[in-house]
């Protein structure tokens, strides 16, 4: 049975013939390699600087509002007179919220790690590409 397959394969190879590359095949390949190596990749970040700025402002404003509107003695808003807002009759939605020191330390530590890791990872990715 193997003999039959070998004979069939030999017959097909003889029928198809051998192809040889053109005379300047190697030169054409080398020109393509030179052209592809000269092309430079333009780095475009996935998230633009404007978007990062907006995200940072939103996070800072949320943390600021949480710290300013808390009802403990640390709040800065206890010193400001808000009697002009009594007309609106607006209740503080964060009156029950207390930001514990452990939570604040965790958020600050996470932010610190985030801002340390991003430059390190960026340098590592830049060096590998």
């Amino acid at each position: 049975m193997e003999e039959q397959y070998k004979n069939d394969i030999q017959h097909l190879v003889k029928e198809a013939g051998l192809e040889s590359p053109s005379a300047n095949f190697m030169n054409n390949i080398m020109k393509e390699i030179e052209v592809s190596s000269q092309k430079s990749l333009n780095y475009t970040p996935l998230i633009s600087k404007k978007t990062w700025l907006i995200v940072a402002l939103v996070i800072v404003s949320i943390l600021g509002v949480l710290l300013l509107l808390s009802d403990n003695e640390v709040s800065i808003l206890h010193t400001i007179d808000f009697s002009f807002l009594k007309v609106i009759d607006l209740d503080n939605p964060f009156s029950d919220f207390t930001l514990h020191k452990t939570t604040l330390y965790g958020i600050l530590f996470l932010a610190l790690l985030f801002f340390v890791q991003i430059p390190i990872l960026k340098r590592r990715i830049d060096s590998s590409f």
Side-chain angles (χ1 to χ4, degrees), residues 48-61:
S48 66
K49 288 183 181 181
K50 184 178 178 181
T51 308
W52 277 117
L53 181 66
I54 291 171
V55 167
L57 288 174
V58 166
I59 290 172
V60 167
S61 63

Short mmCIF file of all heavy atoms in Angstrom, two decimals, residues 48-61:
data_model
loop_
_atom_site.label_atom_id
_atom_site.label_comp_id
_atom_site.label_asym_id
_atom_site.label_seq_id
_atom_site.Cartn_x
_atom_site.Cartn_y
_atom_site.Cartn_z
N SER A 48 -5.74 59.05 25.69
CA SER A 48 -5.01 60.30 25.46
C SER A 48 -4.74 61.02 26.78
O SER A 48 -5.33 60.73 27.82
CB SER A 48 -5.81 61.19 24.52
OG SER A 48 -7.00 61.62 25.15
N LYS A 49 -3.84 62.01 26.71
CA LYS A 49 -3.49 62.78 27.90
C LYS A 49 -4.70 63.57 28.41
O LYS A 49 -4.87 63.73 29.61
CB LYS A 49 -2.34 63.74 27.59
CG LYS A 49 -1.03 63.04 27.41
CD LYS A 49 0.09 64.03 27.17
CE LYS A 49 1.40 63.31 26.97
NZ LYS A 49 2.51 64.23 26.76
N LYS A 50 -5.50 64.06 27.49
CA LYS A 50 -6.70 64.81 27.88
C LYS A 50 -7.66 63.93 28.69
O LYS A 50 -8.21 64.36 29.70
CB LYS A 50 -7.39 65.35 26.63
CG LYS A 50 -8.57 66.23 26.89
CD LYS A 50 -9.16 66.75 25.59
CE LYS A 50 -10.38 67.60 25.85
NZ LYS A 50 -10.98 68.08 24.61
N THR A 51 -7.84 62.69 28.26
CA THR A 51 -8.72 61.77 28.97
C THR A 51 -8.15 61.44 30.34
O THR A 51 -8.90 61.37 31.32
CB THR A 51 -8.92 60.49 28.14
OG1 THR A 51 -9.34 60.84 26.83
CG2 THR A 51 -9.95 59.59 28.78
N TRP A 52 -6.83 61.21 30.44
CA TRP A 52 -6.21 60.95 31.74
C TRP A 52 -6.39 62.14 32.68
O TRP A 52 -6.63 61.96 33.87
CB TRP A 52 -4.73 60.64 31.60
CG TRP A 52 -4.45 59.21 31.24
CD1 TRP A 52 -3.85 58.76 30.11
CD2 TRP A 52 -4.76 58.04 32.01
NE1 TRP A 52 -3.77 57.39 30.11
CE2 TRP A 52 -4.32 56.92 31.28
CE3 TRP A 52 -5.36 57.83 33.24
CZ2 TRP A 52 -4.46 55.62 31.73
CZ3 TRP A 52 -5.50 56.53 33.70
CH2 TRP A 52 -5.06 55.45 32.95
N LEU A 53 -6.28 63.34 32.12
CA LEU A 53 -6.47 64.54 32.94
C LEU A 53 -7.89 64.62 33.47
O LEU A 53 -8.12 64.91 34.65
CB LEU A 53 -6.13 65.79 32.12
CG LEU A 53 -6.26 67.11 32.84
CD1 LEU A 53 -5.23 67.20 33.96
CD2 LEU A 53 -6.09 68.26 31.88
N ILE A 54 -8.86 64.31 32.63
CA ILE A 54 -10.27 64.33 33.05
C ILE A 54 -10.51 63.27 34.12
O ILE A 54 -11.19 63.53 35.13
CB ILE A 54 -11.19 64.14 31.83
CG1 ILE A 54 -11.13 65.37 30.92
CG2 ILE A 54 -12.63 63.86 32.26
CD1 ILE A 54 -11.82 65.19 29.60
N VAL A 55 -9.97 62.06 33.92
CA VAL A 55 -10.14 60.99 34.91
C VAL A 55 -9.52 61.39 36.25
O VAL A 55 -10.12 61.19 37.32
CB VAL A 55 -9.53 59.67 34.38
CG1 VAL A 55 -9.42 58.63 35.48
CG2 VAL A 55 -10.35 59.13 33.23
N ALA A 56 -8.32 61.98 36.20
CA ALA A 56 -7.66 62.41 37.43
C ALA A 56 -8.46 63.50 38.13
O ALA A 56 -8.61 63.47 39.36
CB ALA A 56 -6.25 62.90 37.12
N LEU A 57 -8.99 64.45 37.37
CA LEU A 57 -9.79 65.51 37.98
C LEU A 57 -11.06 64.96 38.62
O LEU A 57 -11.46 65.41 39.70
CB LEU A 57 -10.14 66.58 36.94
CG LEU A 57 -8.98 67.49 36.51
CD1 LEU A 57 -9.42 68.41 35.37
CD2 LEU A 57 -8.48 68.30 37.68
N VAL A 58 -11.69 64.01 37.97
CA VAL A 58 -12.90 63.42 38.54
C VAL A 58 -12.58 62.68 39.84
O VAL A 58 -13.30 62.83 40.84
CB VAL A 58 -13.56 62.46 37.50
CG1 VAL A 58 -14.61 61.58 38.15
CG2 VAL A 58 -14.17 63.25 36.36
N ILE A 59 -11.50 61.92 39.85
CA ILE A 59 -11.13 61.18 41.06
C ILE A 59 -10.77 62.13 42.20
O ILE A 59 -11.22 61.95 43.34
CB ILE A 59 -9.98 60.20 40.76
CG1 ILE A 59 -10.48 59.07 39.88
CG2 ILE A 59 -9.38 59.64 42.05
CD1 ILE A 59 -9.40 58.15 39.37
N VAL A 60 -9.99 63.16 41.88
CA VAL A 60 -9.61 64.12 42.91
C VAL A 60 -10.83 64.87 43.43
O VAL A 60 -10.97 65.09 44.64
CB VAL A 60 -8.54 65.10 42.37
CG1 VAL A 60 -8.34 66.29 43.27
CG2 VAL A 60 -7.23 64.36 42.17
N SER A 61 -11.74 65.24 42.53
CA SER A 61 -12.94 65.95 42.99
C SER A 61 -13.84 65.06 43.84
O SER A 61 -14.40 65.51 44.85
CB SER A 61 -13.71 66.51 41.79
OG SER A 61 -14.17 65.46 40.97
#
